[in-house]
Amino acid sequence: MKIEEKIYEIENSIYINWKKQPFRSDISLMTGLSGIPLFYYMLYLYSDEKKYLEYIEKIIEYIFEHINESDQKIGTTFSSGVSGIGFMLNILEKTGNFKNLDLEDNLLIIDEILLDTVDYFLSYIDNLEHKQKVEQIDFLHGVLGIAYYTLERFEKISEKNKIVSLFEKISEIIISDGQNAYDLRDVTEISESFQKTNLGLAHGHVSYILILIKFLEKFPQNLKVREALIESTNTILLFENDNDKSFCKFPSIAVNKKTAFYNIHLGWCYGDQSVSYALYKAGNLLKDDFLIDKSNQIALSTLKRNDIESALINKDRYDAGFCHGTASVAYNHCKWYKITKDKNFEDLYVKFTKETLLKAKYDDGLAGFMKYNGEGELVQAIGILDGITGIGVFLLDNILKEKSNFNWQSIFLLE
């Protein structure tokens, strides 16, 4: 099937299903309805059909209604709360095409809510143990996603000193986490009391690096945050696999490299592709040739993982979603092709895009797609992270190519 045909099949499935349960109950950015406006806007850019702007307005009106009238508590996190929803609204506000929705007025309300959350975080965080502090700065489920939102809203937020205080406190925790990993680097007997280090983009050091870079682009002289960025890159490198014959360079979560499990898939949430991209970005900001060279070496190593089994580990249980499926493997190869102009990356981008289309094979799927949930069961998913909205955005990016500068990938820290 051609990419364009599959995009419109996805569009039809979203149009039919988003108003139904269980999808209408989840208004979150990553797994719910708040990713859909980004898909529709890209489809508008591709087709120039204004009906997709109307579809966006209907969904956003429903999201506002749900927030204001539902008994369901809406949190503040990036994955499932108002910082993620606000991030999507801010992307759309910048297009200038949604004057009827008063997006900026709603964003100002979200700003206030999240600044209150920052105040609360700063009031209690020093009273927690290290492990709890690290849990609090998670990108998708903690305060780091809120911090990222404040950077995107930086020009509109008056209390800029509060943003600086937030990032400096997050930096303290990151530095402490790096020091913990260094202290445990030679341990061979693992205790449950040992703090594990998360190297991922969804929840760990890769996201720390990419968001600290965004802060340092605004505050290049901030030594505390700069120190945290360097500490985070050094922490990731502590875990590089010493076995040159292994196809996997980095674990997902581990105490140290001596006890780590290195059989990790490629894709967005964890793995060598996200590590290589973060080190590349850090190397550029820090003007560190070693990091840039290392990132290129890691990226080149992923070219050896050129089939489903080596890329995604389990050839019988994988999906097409952007979190850790074929779409994100393909997109990461596309990113590295743009960086290096190495045609081998482009070839794998094309190959895994085809693999993505081939996963639309389920009669009871949405546009033929299903995802594997945490229990290993196939289920329908509409979200931008785990479902057909994300697959649709990825496919639209493929056919729009350089014709659009719409920054959808910023929600994944991949801009």
Side-chain angles (χ1 to χ4, degrees):
M1 175 177 284
K2 293 181 179 179
I3 290 176
E4 184 183 46
E5 292 176 13
K6 181 51 67 177
I7 287 169
Y8 281 106
E9 190 176 336
I10 289 171
E11 185 274 320
N12 183 61
S13 184
I14 289 173
Y15 183 82
I16 291 171
N17 287 289
W18 79 261
K19 308 178 197 71
K20 300 178 181 178
Q21 293 290 9
F23 309 115
R24 64 179 295 149
S25 295
D26 183 355
I27 62 169
S28 71
L29 173 60
M30 288 300 190
T31 61
L33 302 185
S34 288
I36 295 175
L38 302 179
F39 168 78
Y40 276 144
Y41 194 76
M42 292 179 72
L43 192 50
Y44 161 70
L45 293 175
Y46 176 69
S47 67
D48 201 31
E49 292 189 54
K50 294 193 182 300
K51 69 177 182 179
Y52 295 118
L53 299 181
E54 296 171 5
Y55 291 178
I56 291 171
E57 291 186 1
K58 289 179 181 178
I59 290 180
I60 291 177
E61 286 169 357
Y62 173 79
I63 290 169
F64 288 159
E65 178 182 312
H66 188 88
I67 291 173
N68 292 326
E69 299 180 9
S70 174
D71 293 333
Q72 181 182 352
K73 183 180 179 181
I74 308 298
T76 57
T77 65
F78 197 80
S79 176
S80 59
V82 293
S83 62
I85 295 169
F87 198 92
M88 174 272 294
L89 297 176
N90 193 56
I91 292 175
L92 294 180
E93 167 67 8
K94 290 178 180 179
T95 69
N97 285 319
F98 300 96
K99 302 299 185 184
N100 295 335
L101 290 173
D102 297 322
L103 293 182
E104 183 59 30
D105 290 344
N106 285 282
L107 283 164
L108 289 171
I109 294 171
I110 292 173
D111 293 348
E112 291 182 17
I113 292 170
L114 294 178
L115 287 174
D116 286 345
T117 303
V118 170
D119 280 336
Y120 179 59
F121 168 80
L122 292 172
S123 74
Y124 73 76
I125 190 65
D126 287 337
N127 298 322
L128 301 182
E129 298 294 325
H130 172 70
K131 183 178 180 180
Q132 294 172 307
K133 288 180 180 178
V134 173
E135 290 171 351
Q136 292 292 303
I137 63 168
D138 189 293
F139 168 47
L140 289 185
H141 304 312
V143 76
L144 192 63
I146 297 171
Y148 183 40
Y149 169 91
T150 65
L151 289 180
E152 291 300 303
R153 294 283 299 162
F154 187 76
E155 303 305 326
K156 300 296 179 74
I157 292 175
S158 59
E159 299 178 79
K160 292 178 174 53
N161 61 322
K162 192 174 292 186
I163 299 174
V164 174
S165 296
L166 171 62
F167 270 89
E168 289 181 344
K169 182 56 65 177
I170 290 170
S171 294
E172 288 179 17
I173 298 168
I174 292 171
I175 292 167
S176 178
D177 196 53
Q179 292 169 345
N180 174 78
Y182 183 81
D183 291 342
L184 295 174
R185 67 193 184 282
D186 294 322
V187 170
T188 55
E189 296 294 327
I190 298 299
S191 166
E192 289 186 6
S193 64
F194 291 162
Q195 171 70 24
K196 291 183 178 180
T197 300
N198 191 312
L199 303 181
L201 202 167
H203 310 290
H205 276 272
V206 168
S207 61
Y208 303 166
I209 289 170
L210 294 173
I211 294 175
L212 293 181
I213 288 170
K214 296 287 288 184
F215 178 88
L216 287 168
E217 288 171 348
K218 297 184 183 298
F219 295 96
Q221 304 306 317
N222 190 296
L223 297 180
K224 174 64 72 175
V225 177
R226 192 177 184 86
E227 180 187 357
L229 174 62
I230 295 170
E231 183 70 41
S232 196
T233 59
N234 290 339
T235 298
I236 285 180
L237 293 174
L238 279 176
F239 290 83
E240 185 176 9
N241 196 344
D242 290 330
N243 183 358
D244 292 335
K245 296 180 180 179
S246 174
F247 61 78
C248 180
K249 297 293 185 183
F250 292 89
S252 56
I253 305 169
V255 172
N256 57 37
K257 70 162 66 176
K258 294 185 176 181
T259 58
F261 178 71
Y262 282 94
N263 201 25
I264 306 301
H265 56 73
L266 297 178
W268 178 78
C269 56
Y270 289 100
D272 294 350
Q273 286 180 311
S274 61
V275 168
S276 64
Y277 181 69
L279 294 180
Y280 174 77
K281 296 285 282 187
N284 276 278
L285 183 123
L286 296 169
K287 295 180 171 53
D288 186 326
D289 290 338
F290 171 79
L291 284 179
I292 293 173
D293 290 344
K294 176 63 70 175
S295 70
N296 275 269
Q297 293 170 22
I298 299 163
L300 287 169
S301 76
T302 67
L303 294 173
K304 300 174 183 177
R305 303 174 68 173
N306 58 6
D307 56 28
I308 292 295
E309 186 168 9
S310 60
L312 295 173
I313 306 303
N314 190 333
K315 65 179 181 180
D316 299 316
R317 186 177 293 178
Y318 69 96
D319 57 47
F322 204 86
C323 186
H324 48 262
T326 54
S328 65
V329 174
Y331 186 74
N332 275 285
H333 283 309
C334 179
K335 293 292 287 187
W336 273 102
Y337 171 66
K338 292 177 179 178
I339 292 168
T340 65
K341 304 305 179 186
D342 184 332
K343 193 175 183 302
N344 292 303
F345 287 111
E346 184 182 40
D347 290 344
L348 287 185
Y349 170 48
V350 171
K351 177 174 182 174
F352 282 96
T353 298
K354 291 178 179 177
E355 294 286 358
T356 299
L357 294 172
L358 289 173
K359 288 302 288 182
K361 63 182 183 179
Y362 301 101
D363 292 339
D364 53 348
L366 299 180
F369 292 104
M370 301 279 274
K371 79 159 187 177
Y372 281 97
N373 65 12
E375 287 71 48
E377 301 168 331
L378 281 170
V379 296
Q380 296 177 341
I382 206 168
I384 199 166
L385 177 64
D386 63 342
I388 60 169
T389 298
I391 297 167
V393 164
F394 162 72
L395 294 175
L396 278 162
D397 182 85
N398 179 286
I399 59 176
L400 280 168
K401 299 189 185 300
E402 306 302 328
K403 297 176 184 176
S404 167
N405 59 358
F406 185 63
N407 197 17
W408 67 270
Q409 62 269 42
S410 62
I411 72 165
F412 293 112
L413 298 175
L414 294 176
E415 58 187 313

